Amino acid sequence: MDVEDMTRYVCETFDGVDTLEANGDTFFIYDPDRDLPADRQLPFATIVTGDHYDDASTLSRPGAWRLNIGLTRSAYGALFPRRHGSDGDIDHTVTDTVLPHPVYARQHWVCVVNPGEATVDTVRRLLTEAYDFAARKHTNHRSRQAPS
């Protein structure tokens, strides 16, 4: 699986997803009406292709990229019951392994460098969980904004 495959998978699998691109990276946002103001455009997953945000995964290596997925507290805790921060003992350069995000683990984000055969099923499940969470937040926000 490469960046294009992953991007296509997310965009074709999940309804209402909008993408933003910057510096070769892709940000997946649940915005079914394509009308969220900039301050509400928070991604539920991202693909990062370089070391411009952090260098923990050494994405400067040829072909290296990282999928980041934002989870609920409970989904994150099910994966990493004892890890709530970016632990120094984790090798974030390892590929095809779900890990706590090197910077945003405390916000319940996970990452996978070059997802492949070992993680494809887990990644798809986690993306579904993240998408569902983003859709619930969007719906809840809209219902609070609706006139009574």
Side-chain angles (χ1 to χ4, degrees):
M1 185 170 289
D2 62 17
V3 171
E4 290 79 19
D5 293 332
M6 183 58 69
T7 301
R8 188 171 31 261
Y9 174 79
V10 172
C11 292
E12 291 176 358
T13 302
F14 304 109
D15 291 331
V17 172
D18 196 10
T19 59
L20 298 176
E21 296 184 15
N23 299 321
D25 303 327
T26 305
F27 302 83
F28 300 100
I29 299 161
Y30 182 75
D31 184 9
D33 299 322
R34 307 292 196 265
D35 65 350
L36 285 177
D39 65 332
R40 299 256 334 133
Q41 293 179 355
L42 303 173
F44 65 90
T46 66
I47 294 175
V48 179
T49 59
D51 291 333
H52 19 273
Y53 305 107
D54 68 79
D55 60 2
S57 300
T58 316
L59 299 177
S60 58
R61 297 175 283 163
W65 59 282
R66 186 175 71 211
L67 174 67
N68 305 303
I69 306 171
L71 300 175
T72 63
R73 178 186 311 262
S74 62
Y76 183 89
L79 288 170
F80 305 108
R82 300 200 192 288
R83 295 189 190 276
H84 296 288
S86 54
D87 297 343
D89 63 336
I90 297 174
D91 179 1
H92 284 96
T93 65
V94 66
T95 60
D96 204 13
T97 304
V98 178
L99 299 169
H101 190 280
V103 177
Y104 297 111
R106 288 191 183 275
Q107 287 82 22
H108 312 113
W109 280 73
V110 297
C111 65
V112 183
V113 174
N114 294 30
E117 194 171 310
T119 58
V120 68
D121 292 336
T122 301
V123 161
R124 287 180 176 159
R125 178 178 55 80
L126 296 176
L127 283 167
T128 298
E129 290 179 22
Y131 169 82
D132 289 346
F133 183 47
R136 281 193 312 273
K137 288 190 300 187
H138 182 274
T139 299
N140 290 342
H141 179 74
R142 290 287 164 125
S143 68
R144 287 190 304 270
Q145 303 302 311
S148 302

